[in-house]
Amino acid sequence: MSAIRYVSTRGSAERASFRDVVLSGTAPDGGLWMPADIPRLPKARIADLAELPYPDLAALILSAFVGDAIPDERLFEICQEAYAGFDDPEVAPLVPLAGRHWLLELFHGPTLAFKDFALQVVGRIMAELIDAEEGGQPLVLVGATSGDTGSAAIAAIADRANIGLVMLHPEGRVSEVQRRQMTTVDAPNIVNLAVKGSFDDCQRIVKQLFASGVGDLRLGAVNSINWLRIAGQVPYYFAAAAKLNAVDRPLAFAVPTGNFGNAFAGHVARAMGLPVERLIVASNANAILPRTIATGLYERGEALATSAPAMDIQVASNFERLLFDADPAATPGQMELLSQEGRFHLTAPQRRVLDAMFAGASAHEGAIADAMRWARDRAGQVIDPHTAAGLHAALASDLPHDVPIVTLATAHPAKFPDAVAEALGERPAAPERLRAIFGREERYATVEADPKAVASHLEDIARTLA
Ligand SMILES: Cc1ncc(COP(=O)(O)O)c(C=O)c1O
Ligand SMILES: N[C@@H](CCOP(=O)(O)O)C(=O)O
């Protein structure tokens, strides 16, 4: 296995190794890291994946991004450990809905959302790389969450030696279950901050801190800024295709979208050779991406609060990776325009990629509730509001009828009991893992939407690790 090199989407940073990419935040020029080349798997190798249990499949796909940074045998062990805590033996079961519609259940991990797929691996690989350093500096992670990344990152990092995590969530804009999943974890290396602002404010602060640095702290990312987050979400696209015997015939995925990490992982799966006919980018009323796909204009607005709060996002971080993949030279200027003017136009090559491979659909609140009712009435499935936005888009798709559509079920319905009860008239049963969080004390501080307020918490946690 050889070394994999990574490039920045802004084009002016030196190439970096897998290790440097995983243990850092944004690239020094402010961009996001991408592999210099996305490796393509031969067809026969993809077909063989059907035989593999999920952890082996994941290790095989991940090894293409890890290269020689971790020996293959160790990577296999890490993946076994990462998925051992999932409560379904298939890890990502595929459930039939009706006709050509399927649900890929991605909520069987420790925090009941799809973020566990990558973060259970990220936490272990970070620890592996840090442990291998002699006398290395502690790693201080800073993340922004609209609800699910937070708990998944905390579950992956809590109590790890030499790693601390400060997690920002928008005050009052995550569900009670999501908040408690983060704030009831009692670990000395975890700090939760409720930010007076939106998720976009939280993410902006995180990116500003990476750009400015905080003293001489070694900062790292748990958001999908970190390439390993994207890589860790690629394997389940292959697993779904293998289950449908669709490794050499077209299929489509409807992907509930906020920060575009999950959808971009699907794009990477296709680039690696999976015959993905269409990625249907499904949003809630925050329809910036479906609108961009339709018009070619990316224009930031105010994030609206919806029943699918993890997708209440206007600046979809990973869209930058798609722009770069389609037209690298144009991307730095577009990102500059976005920060100065809040908008930019796609170039012709970028529009061609979007038109050929993506579709978009947004679901307002009524459509989300309708999709929840459709899933219950037609297939006996209770789904969460984010998955419902995906299903709404899948049902509206104009793809030929022989193309199966897999909707990614990104969260367990019990994470959003109020929204489910409002649509279906009854509250979803809470799995054992969730019941415990209700008796426990919550710990978090509230801060202004200001990088300085967050920096002081990063310094405090760094002192405890030193
Ligand atoms: C339940 C759920 N669905 C969908 C999304 C959107 O995913 P992404 O940000 O990768 O587009 C999120 C947040 O990331 C989420 O928590
Ligand atoms: N919806 C996300 C927002 C952060 O996205 P990420 O994939 O970049 O971590 C969340 O649940 O926090």
Side-chain angles (χ1 to χ4, degrees):
M1 203 29 103
S2 53
I4 312 289
R5 306 303 291 172
Y6 287 80
V7 294
S8 164
T9 51
R10 305 283 169 98
S12 50
E14 294 283 310
R15 289 181 170 217
S17 65
F18 172 78
R19 174 199 181 76
D20 289 345
V21 164
V22 172
L23 298 181
S24 66
T26 47
D29 59 2
L32 301 178
W33 294 115
M34 291 263 287
D37 298 297
I38 294 185
R40 205 172 165 83
L41 299 182
K43 248 188 175 165
R45 187 117 179 265
I46 297 178
D48 289 347
L49 296 175
E51 310 297 323
L52 298 179
Y54 191 87
D56 296 9
L57 181 152
L60 207 140
I61 303 281
L62 283 169
S63 67
F65 301 107
V66 175
D68 64 2
I70 297 176
D72 277 352
E73 314 76 68
R74 181 66 194 127
L75 186 59
F76 271 80
E77 281 169 14
I78 288 173
C79 289
Q80 307 300 326
E81 288 164 20
Y83 298 109
F86 281 52
D87 70 7
D88 189 290
E90 287 188 57
V91 180
L94 186 68
V95 176
L97 286 175
R100 54 140 146 202
H101 293 284
W102 298 80
L103 267 191
L104 185 67
E105 292 186 353
L106 299 175
F107 51 70
H108 291 281
T111 68
L112 306 175
F114 73 110
K115 307 285 175 161
D116 289 321
F117 275 82
L119 279 158
Q120 282 295 312
V121 172
V122 168
R124 284 175 171 81
I125 288 189
M126 282 178 170
E128 181 88 7
L129 298 175
I130 293 278
D131 287 353
E133 291 177 349
E134 274 172 35
Q137 208 188 349
L139 179 65
V140 182
L141 300 168
V142 57
T145 186
S146 53
D148 288 323
T149 292
S151 56
I154 289 169
I157 299 298
D159 293 319
R160 291 203 182 274
N162 280 328
I163 308 182
L165 168 61
V166 174
M167 183 51 72
L168 281 52
H169 70 267
E171 186 187 30
R173 294 184 67 169
V174 299
S175 79
E176 184 187 1
V177 173
Q178 288 176 313
R179 191 191 68 238
R180 283 181 171 275
Q181 279 185 301
M182 296 188 276
T183 59
T184 58
V185 174
D186 182 12
N189 66 335
I190 303 293
V191 170
N192 279 290
L193 299 178
V195 173
K196 294 184 182 170
S198 64
F199 168 78
D200 291 316
D201 293 320
C202 298
Q203 183 156 256
R204 176 181 46 77
I205 292 170
V206 168
K207 288 189 174 175
Q208 283 173 350
L209 290 167
F210 286 137
S212 64
V214 177
D216 60 0
L217 298 189
R218 179 191 200 180
L219 295 182
V222 282
N223 282 107
S224 52
I225 287 170
N226 191 320
W227 174 260
L228 190 51
R229 280 283 318 280
I230 304 294
Q233 294 180 193
V234 175
Y236 52 68
Y237 285 92
F238 281 91
K243 285 188 174 140
L244 282 173
N245 289 324
V247 291
D248 56 5
R249 72 184 175 97
L251 88 163
F253 291 90
V255 189
T257 301
N259 231 358
F260 201 68
N262 206 2
F264 192 72
H267 179 70
V268 173
R270 177 177 29 216
M272 292 179 83
L274 196 71
V276 179
E277 173 77 15
R278 198 68 53 86
L279 285 162
I280 305 169
V281 174
S283 78
N284 57 22
N286 293 289
I288 179 164
L289 288 174
R291 225 177 18 245
T292 304
I293 292 170
T295 64
L297 173 67
Y298 186 102
E299 188 164 34
R300 189 172 66 202
E302 276 300 305
L304 305 169
T306 73
S307 61
M311 298 176 3
D312 293 348
I313 296 178
Q314 285 288 321
V315 180
S317 206
N318 285 285
F319 199 59
E320 178 169 348
R321 287 190 163 115
L322 186 74
L323 298 173
F324 175 81
D325 198 40
D327 191 349
T331 310
Q334 290 171 316
M335 291 302 108
E336 187 56 30
L337 278 174
L338 180 64
S339 88
Q340 299 301 323
E341 296 171 18
R343 69 208 294 265
F344 63 85
H345 287 276
L346 301 183
T347 64
Q350 290 165 341
R351 286 206 79 166
R352 269 199 296 280
V353 168
L354 277 171
D355 289 349
M357 302 175 179
F358 289 85
S362 69
H364 55 72
E365 293 296 278
I368 288 179
D370 284 348
M372 284 190 202
R373 286 189 282 269
W374 187 95
R376 183 199 51 194
D377 298 345
R378 296 287 300 273
Q381 293 290 327
V382 177
I383 60 174
D384 97 286
H386 304 79
T387 307
L391 181 59
H392 166 80
L395 294 172
S397 169
D398 60 0
L399 283 168
H401 286 289
D402 57 347
V403 177
I405 305 183
V406 177
T407 296
L408 302 189
T410 48
H412 193 288
K415 291 190 89 164
F416 307 94
D418 298 338
V420 174
E422 198 168 324
L424 303 185
E426 61 186 302
R427 292 174 86 74
E432 186 55 43
R433 291 179 199 240
L434 279 190
R435 276 181 235 142
I437 61 176
F438 281 91
R440 294 199 196 126
E441 188 193 339
E442 290 193 70
R443 291 156 215 266
Y444 63 95
T446 303
V447 295
E448 297 296 329
D450 174 1
K452 283 198 206 87
V454 176
S456 72
H457 287 274
L458 291 167
E459 283 162 340
D460 288 349
I461 203 162
R463 271 191 285 278
T464 71
L465 299 171

Short mmCIF file of all heavy atoms in Angstrom, two decimals, residues 376-420:
data_model
loop_
_atom_site.label_atom_id
_atom_site.label_comp_id
_atom_site.label_asym_id
_atom_site.label_seq_id
_atom_site.Cartn_x
_atom_site.Cartn_y
_atom_site.Cartn_z
N ARG A 376 -45.56 4.95 7.17
CA ARG A 376 -46.29 4.12 8.13
C ARG A 376 -47.43 3.36 7.44
O ARG A 376 -47.59 2.16 7.60
CB ARG A 376 -46.87 5.00 9.24
CG ARG A 376 -47.58 4.16 10.30
CD ARG A 376 -48.53 4.93 11.16
NE ARG A 376 -49.46 5.73 10.37
CZ ARG A 376 -50.22 6.70 10.87
NH1 ARG A 376 -50.11 6.99 12.15
NH2 ARG A 376 -51.05 7.39 10.11
N ASP A 377 -48.21 4.09 6.61
CA ASP A 377 -49.41 3.47 6.03
C ASP A 377 -49.06 2.45 4.95
O ASP A 377 -49.71 1.42 4.83
CB ASP A 377 -50.33 4.56 5.45
CG ASP A 377 -50.81 5.51 6.55
OD1 ASP A 377 -50.66 5.16 7.75
OD2 ASP A 377 -51.30 6.61 6.21
N ARG A 378 -48.03 2.74 4.14
CA ARG A 378 -47.73 1.84 3.02
C ARG A 378 -46.75 0.74 3.39
O ARG A 378 -46.71 -0.30 2.77
CB ARG A 378 -47.14 2.65 1.84
CG ARG A 378 -48.10 3.66 1.23
CD ARG A 378 -49.18 2.95 0.41
NE ARG A 378 -48.63 2.17 -0.68
CZ ARG A 378 -48.35 2.63 -1.88
NH1 ARG A 378 -48.62 3.90 -2.16
NH2 ARG A 378 -47.82 1.86 -2.82
N ALA A 379 -45.89 1.00 4.40
CA ALA A 379 -44.83 0.03 4.66
C ALA A 379 -44.68 -0.32 6.13
O ALA A 379 -43.78 -1.07 6.50
CB ALA A 379 -43.51 0.58 4.12
N GLY A 380 -45.53 0.25 6.97
CA GLY A 380 -45.45 -0.06 8.41
C GLY A 380 -44.17 0.43 9.06
O GLY A 380 -43.73 -0.11 10.07
N GLN A 381 -43.55 1.46 8.48
CA GLN A 381 -42.28 1.98 9.01
C GLN A 381 -42.49 3.35 9.65
O GLN A 381 -43.09 4.24 9.03
CB GLN A 381 -41.25 2.15 7.88
CG GLN A 381 -40.80 0.86 7.26
CD GLN A 381 -39.93 0.04 8.20
OE1 GLN A 381 -39.18 0.58 9.02
NE2 GLN A 381 -40.06 -1.28 8.10
N VAL A 382 -41.95 3.53 10.86
CA VAL A 382 -41.96 4.86 11.48
C VAL A 382 -40.61 5.49 11.18
O VAL A 382 -39.56 4.91 11.50
CB VAL A 382 -42.18 4.76 13.01
CG1 VAL A 382 -42.10 6.14 13.66
CG2 VAL A 382 -43.53 4.11 13.30
N ILE A 383 -40.63 6.64 10.52
CA ILE A 383 -39.35 7.27 10.14
C ILE A 383 -39.24 8.65 10.77
O ILE A 383 -40.25 9.26 11.15
CB ILE A 383 -39.19 7.36 8.60
CG1 ILE A 383 -40.31 8.20 7.96
CG2 ILE A 383 -39.13 5.97 7.98
CD1 ILE A 383 -40.11 8.45 6.46
N ASP A 384 -38.04 9.14 10.87
CA ASP A 384 -37.81 10.44 11.49
C ASP A 384 -38.00 11.55 10.43
O ASP A 384 -38.05 11.26 9.23
CB ASP A 384 -36.41 10.48 12.13
CG ASP A 384 -35.41 11.12 11.21
OD1 ASP A 384 -35.01 10.47 10.22
OD2 ASP A 384 -35.06 12.29 11.43
N PRO A 385 -38.09 12.82 10.85
CA PRO A 385 -38.38 13.88 9.88
C PRO A 385 -37.28 14.09 8.82
O PRO A 385 -37.59 14.50 7.70
CB PRO A 385 -38.51 15.15 10.73
CG PRO A 385 -38.42 14.74 12.15
CD PRO A 385 -38.15 13.28 12.24
N HIS A 386 -36.01 13.78 9.15
CA HIS A 386 -34.94 13.95 8.15
C HIS A 386 -35.08 12.88 7.07
O HIS A 386 -35.02 13.18 5.87
CB HIS A 386 -33.57 13.84 8.83
CG HIS A 386 -33.39 14.81 9.94
ND1 HIS A 386 -33.94 14.60 11.18
CD2 HIS A 386 -32.76 16.02 10.00
CE1 HIS A 386 -33.66 15.63 11.96
NE2 HIS A 386 -32.95 16.51 11.27
N THR A 387 -35.31 11.65 7.52
CA THR A 387 -35.52 10.55 6.57
C THR A 387 -36.76 10.86 5.72
O THR A 387 -36.78 10.58 4.51
CB THR A 387 -35.73 9.23 7.36
OG1 THR A 387 -34.62 9.08 8.25
CG2 THR A 387 -35.83 8.05 6.44
N ALA A 388 -37.76 11.47 6.35
CA ALA A 388 -39.00 11.79 5.62
C ALA A 388 -38.72 12.80 4.51
O ALA A 388 -39.31 12.71 3.41
CB ALA A 388 -40.06 12.33 6.59
N ALA A 389 -37.82 13.75 4.76
CA ALA A 389 -37.47 14.69 3.69
C ALA A 389 -36.83 13.92 2.53
O ALA A 389 -37.10 14.19 1.35
CB ALA A 389 -36.51 15.77 4.21
N GLY A 390 -36.02 12.93 2.87
CA GLY A 390 -35.41 12.09 1.82
C GLY A 390 -36.46 11.29 1.07
O GLY A 390 -36.46 11.24 -0.16
N LEU A 391 -37.39 10.70 1.82
CA LEU A 391 -38.42 9.88 1.17
C LEU A 391 -39.32 10.74 0.28
O LEU A 391 -39.71 10.32 -0.82
CB LEU A 391 -39.25 9.15 2.24
CG LEU A 391 -40.34 8.23 1.70
CD1 LEU A 391 -39.77 7.13 0.80
CD2 LEU A 391 -41.11 7.59 2.87
N HIS A 392 -39.64 11.94 0.74
CA HIS A 392 -40.44 12.86 -0.09
C HIS A 392 -39.76 13.04 -1.45
O HIS A 392 -40.40 12.97 -2.50
CB HIS A 392 -40.58 14.20 0.64
CG HIS A 392 -41.09 15.30 -0.24
ND1 HIS A 392 -42.42 15.45 -0.55
CD2 HIS A 392 -40.42 16.28 -0.90
CE1 HIS A 392 -42.57 16.49 -1.35
NE2 HIS A 392 -41.36 17.01 -1.58
N ALA A 393 -38.45 13.26 -1.42
CA ALA A 393 -37.72 13.49 -2.66
C ALA A 393 -37.69 12.21 -3.52
O ALA A 393 -37.83 12.27 -4.75
CB ALA A 393 -36.30 13.95 -2.34
N ALA A 394 -37.56 11.06 -2.85
CA ALA A 394 -37.52 9.80 -3.60
C ALA A 394 -38.85 9.56 -4.31
O ALA A 394 -38.90 9.17 -5.48
CB ALA A 394 -37.23 8.64 -2.64
N LEU A 395 -39.95 9.84 -3.59
CA LEU A 395 -41.28 9.59 -4.16
C LEU A 395 -41.58 10.53 -5.33
O LEU A 395 -42.34 10.20 -6.23
CB LEU A 395 -42.37 9.72 -3.08
CG LEU A 395 -42.31 8.67 -1.97
CD1 LEU A 395 -43.31 9.00 -0.84
CD2 LEU A 395 -42.60 7.28 -2.52
N ALA A 396 -40.95 11.72 -5.29
CA ALA A 396 -41.21 12.71 -6.35
C ALA A 396 -40.28 12.50 -7.55
O ALA A 396 -40.40 13.20 -8.57
CB ALA A 396 -40.99 14.12 -5.78
N SER A 397 -39.38 11.52 -7.47
CA SER A 397 -38.36 11.39 -8.51
C SER A 397 -38.96 10.98 -9.86
O SER A 397 -39.88 10.17 -9.92
CB SER A 397 -37.34 10.34 -8.08
OG SER A 397 -36.51 10.04 -9.17
N ASP A 398 -38.38 11.52 -10.94
CA ASP A 398 -38.84 11.15 -12.28
C ASP A 398 -37.93 10.12 -12.94
O ASP A 398 -37.94 9.94 -14.15
CB ASP A 398 -38.95 12.40 -13.16
CG ASP A 398 -37.61 13.10 -13.30
OD1 ASP A 398 -36.61 12.60 -12.72
OD2 ASP A 398 -37.54 14.14 -13.99
N LEU A 399 -37.13 9.42 -12.13
CA LEU A 399 -36.25 8.39 -12.71
C LEU A 399 -37.08 7.25 -13.29
O LEU A 399 -38.19 6.98 -12.80
CB LEU A 399 -35.34 7.82 -11.61
CG LEU A 399 -34.16 8.68 -11.20
CD1 LEU A 399 -33.53 8.14 -9.93
CD2 LEU A 399 -33.13 8.76 -12.32
N PRO A 400 -36.56 6.54 -14.32
CA PRO A 400 -37.31 5.40 -14.86
C PRO A 400 -37.68 4.41 -13.77
O PRO A 400 -36.93 4.23 -12.79
CB PRO A 400 -36.30 4.77 -15.85
CG PRO A 400 -35.31 5.84 -16.15
CD PRO A 400 -35.30 6.79 -14.99
N HIS A 401 -38.82 3.74 -13.95
CA HIS A 401 -39.38 2.92 -12.87
C HIS A 401 -38.56 1.69 -12.50
O HIS A 401 -38.75 1.11 -11.44
CB HIS A 401 -40.82 2.53 -13.19
CG HIS A 401 -41.73 3.70 -13.04
ND1 HIS A 401 -42.05 4.21 -11.81
CD2 HIS A 401 -42.33 4.49 -13.96
CE1 HIS A 401 -42.82 5.28 -11.97
NE2 HIS A 401 -43.00 5.47 -13.27
N ASP A 402 -37.64 1.30 -13.40
CA ASP A 402 -36.84 0.12 -13.05
C ASP A 402 -35.58 0.48 -12.25
O ASP A 402 -34.78 -0.39 -11.92
CB ASP A 402 -36.44 -0.68 -14.31
CG ASP A 402 -35.69 0.19 -15.30
OD1 ASP A 402 -35.69 1.43 -15.13
OD2 ASP A 402 -35.08 -0.37 -16.22
N VAL A 403 -35.41 1.77 -11.94
CA VAL A 403 -34.24 2.15 -11.11
C VAL A 403 -34.66 2.14 -9.65
O VAL A 403 -35.50 2.92 -9.22
CB VAL A 403 -33.73 3.57 -11.49
CG1 VAL A 403 -32.57 3.98 -10.58
CG2 VAL A 403 -33.31 3.62 -12.95
N PRO A 404 -34.07 1.24 -8.84
CA PRO A 404 -34.41 1.25 -7.40
C PRO A 404 -33.93 2.54 -6.75
O PRO A 404 -32.87 3.06 -7.12
CB PRO A 404 -33.65 0.05 -6.82
CG PRO A 404 -32.94 -0.62 -7.95
CD PRO A 404 -33.06 0.22 -9.17
N ILE A 405 -34.70 3.03 -5.80
CA ILE A 405 -34.27 4.24 -5.06
C ILE A 405 -34.15 3.88 -3.58
O ILE A 405 -35.11 3.43 -2.95
CB ILE A 405 -35.25 5.41 -5.22
CG1 ILE A 405 -35.48 5.73 -6.71
CG2 ILE A 405 -34.71 6.65 -4.50
CD1 ILE A 405 -36.38 6.92 -6.96
N VAL A 406 -32.95 4.10 -3.06
CA VAL A 406 -32.69 3.84 -1.64
C VAL A 406 -32.70 5.17 -0.90
O VAL A 406 -31.90 6.06 -1.20
CB VAL A 406 -31.31 3.16 -1.47
CG1 VAL A 406 -31.00 2.96 0.02
CG2 VAL A 406 -31.25 1.83 -2.22
N THR A 407 -33.63 5.32 0.04
CA THR A 407 -33.63 6.52 0.89
C THR A 407 -32.78 6.23 2.12
O THR A 407 -32.95 5.20 2.77
CB THR A 407 -35.07 6.87 1.31
OG1 THR A 407 -35.82 7.20 0.14
CG2 THR A 407 -35.09 8.07 2.26
N LEU A 408 -31.86 7.12 2.40
CA LEU A 408 -31.01 6.92 3.57
C LEU A 408 -31.77 7.35 4.82
O LEU A 408 -32.19 8.51 4.94
CB LEU A 408 -29.71 7.72 3.42
CG LEU A 408 -28.86 7.38 2.18
CD1 LEU A 408 -27.51 8.08 2.26
CD2 LEU A 408 -28.66 5.89 2.01
N ALA A 409 -31.97 6.40 5.73
CA ALA A 409 -32.66 6.70 7.00
C ALA A 409 -31.58 7.15 7.98
O ALA A 409 -30.86 6.34 8.56
CB ALA A 409 -33.39 5.47 7.51
N THR A 410 -31.47 8.47 8.14
CA THR A 410 -30.28 9.03 8.80
C THR A 410 -30.40 9.11 10.32
O THR A 410 -29.39 9.31 10.99
CB THR A 410 -29.98 10.43 8.22
OG1 THR A 410 -31.19 11.18 8.20
CG2 THR A 410 -29.41 10.33 6.82
N ALA A 411 -31.60 9.00 10.85
CA ALA A 411 -31.73 9.06 12.32
C ALA A 411 -32.89 8.19 12.78
O ALA A 411 -33.86 7.97 12.03
CB ALA A 411 -31.94 10.49 12.80
N HIS A 412 -32.80 7.71 14.00
CA HIS A 412 -33.89 6.93 14.60
C HIS A 412 -35.04 7.88 14.94
O HIS A 412 -34.79 9.00 15.44
CB HIS A 412 -33.36 6.26 15.88
CG HIS A 412 -34.27 5.21 16.42
ND1 HIS A 412 -35.47 5.51 17.04
CD2 HIS A 412 -34.16 3.86 16.44
CE1 HIS A 412 -36.06 4.38 17.40
NE2 HIS A 412 -35.28 3.37 17.05
N PRO A 413 -36.29 7.47 14.69
CA PRO A 413 -37.41 8.38 14.95
C PRO A 413 -37.50 8.84 16.41
O PRO A 413 -37.98 9.95 16.69
CB PRO A 413 -38.65 7.56 14.57
CG PRO A 413 -38.19 6.15 14.40
CD PRO A 413 -36.72 6.20 14.10
N ALA A 414 -36.98 8.02 17.35
CA ALA A 414 -37.09 8.41 18.77
C ALA A 414 -36.22 9.62 19.10
O ALA A 414 -36.35 10.18 20.19
CB ALA A 414 -36.72 7.22 19.65
N LYS A 415 -35.34 10.03 18.20
CA LYS A 415 -34.57 11.25 18.46
C LYS A 415 -35.43 12.50 18.27
O LYS A 415 -35.07 13.58 18.70
CB LYS A 415 -33.34 11.32 17.54
CG LYS A 415 -32.29 10.27 17.86
CD LYS A 415 -30.99 10.50 17.11
CE LYS A 415 -30.05 11.40 17.89
NZ LYS A 415 -28.65 11.34 17.40
N PHE A 416 -36.56 12.33 17.58
CA PHE A 416 -37.44 13.47 17.29
C PHE A 416 -38.88 13.12 17.63
O PHE A 416 -39.78 13.16 16.78
CB PHE A 416 -37.30 13.86 15.79
CG PHE A 416 -35.87 14.08 15.42
CD1 PHE A 416 -35.11 13.05 14.87
CD2 PHE A 416 -35.25 15.29 15.68
CE1 PHE A 416 -33.77 13.23 14.59
CE2 PHE A 416 -33.90 15.48 15.41
CZ PHE A 416 -33.17 14.45 14.87
N PRO A 417 -39.13 12.76 18.92
CA PRO A 417 -40.45 12.22 19.28
C PRO A 417 -41.59 13.21 19.06
O PRO A 417 -42.69 12.81 18.69
CB PRO A 417 -40.29 11.87 20.77
CG PRO A 417 -39.09 12.63 21.24
CD PRO A 417 -38.21 12.85 20.06
N ASP A 418 -41.32 14.51 19.27
CA ASP A 418 -42.41 15.49 19.14
C ASP A 418 -42.87 15.59 17.68
O ASP A 418 -44.07 15.59 17.38
CB ASP A 418 -41.98 16.86 19.66
CG ASP A 418 -41.65 16.81 21.14
OD1 ASP A 418 -42.14 15.88 21.82
OD2 ASP A 418 -40.88 17.66 21.62
N ALA A 419 -41.90 15.66 16.76
CA ALA A 419 -42.25 15.79 15.34
C ALA A 419 -42.97 14.53 14.86
O ALA A 419 -43.94 14.60 14.10
CB ALA A 419 -40.99 16.03 14.51
N VAL A 420 -42.51 13.37 15.34
CA VAL A 420 -43.15 12.12 14.92
C VAL A 420 -44.57 12.07 15.47
O VAL A 420 -45.53 11.72 14.76
CB VAL A 420 -42.32 10.90 15.40
CG1 VAL A 420 -43.05 9.59 15.11
CG2 VAL A 420 -40.94 10.89 14.73
#
